Structure formats: structure tokens, C-alpha cells
Amino acid sequence: MCLAIPGRVMEIVDEANRLARVDVAGVQRTVNVGLMDAEGDPIEPGDWVLIHVGFAISKVDEAEAAQTLLMLRGMGQDFETELAELRESLIE
């Protein structure tokens, strides 16, 4: 199962390649935020985004992110598996 998980943008680490450090349920990873440029709403530190396979695919507000994380935590092992895969992933 692949999930889109909410994460909070901590910082833009590579502007040219549109990479940002994002905190996802306590796991910090570098993700590509370039897909969001087409939306005309640039990603900035503090923004919440949905992340899927290393890419930010949608911007969400903090309340929606919290609600989604609560729902995902309720999924139990599927959510834990997704977090484990995120911990092992790396974009540089």
C-alpha cells in the first residue's frame, strides 16, 4: 500500500532542484517540491504538504494534516510500514 502522508516543510535545502527537508511524523527527509510550482503557490518553510514517493503532491492546511495523520495512525501496521519505508528512503 502506498499512502500520501502529511509533512511539514522545515526548510528549502536546494532551491535549484526544488528540494526541501520535511518532517513526517517525526521522520525528516528531503523531498522534491517542484511539482507544486505548477500550482502557482510556492512551497515555503512552515507549509504542510502531502508526500508520496518522495514528492510533495499537494499543499494542505495544518488542521487537515493533523486529521489525516490521526486517521493514518489508526491504520496501524500499514502506517508503520509506510513510515519505515520513508525512514529508509533518501533523496539527495
Side-chain angles (χ1 to χ4, degrees), residues 12-35:
I12 303 298
V13 295
D14 184 341
E15 184 66 46
N17 290 307
R18 302 301 291 139
L19 299 177
R21 186 170 50 91
V22 178
D23 185 290
V24 179
V27 178
Q28 292 192 6
R29 280 291 176 260
T30 301
V31 300
N32 187 297
V33 295
L35 294 175

Side-chain angles (χ1 to χ4, degrees), residues 4-6 8 12-13 19 24 29 33 37 41 44 47 49 56-58 60-62 65 68 70 75 82 84 86:
I5 300 177
R8 186 170 186 179
I12 303 298
V13 295
L19 299 177
V24 179
R29 280 291 176 260
V33 295
D37 293 343
D41 191 11
E44 299 176 1
D47 287 341
V49 293
I57 59 171
S58 178
V60 295
D61 63 32
E62 187 172 1
T68 301
L70 182 63
M75 294 176 67
E82 194 73 17
L86 181 65

Side-chain angles (χ1 to χ4, degrees), residues 37-53:
D37 293 343
E39 301 292 319
D41 191 11
I43 298 299
E44 299 176 1
D47 287 341
W48 285 87
V49 293
L50 291 180
I51 300 164
H52 180 67
V53 294

Side-chain angles (χ1 to χ4, degrees), residues 58-80:
S58 178
K59 189 185 276 192
V60 295
D61 63 32
E62 187 172 1
E64 183 177 352
Q67 184 177 18
T68 301
L69 281 170
L70 182 63
M71 180 195 69
L72 290 171
R73 284 188 176 102
M75 294 176 67
Q77 187 57 48
D78 288 332
F79 179 63
E80 293 304 319

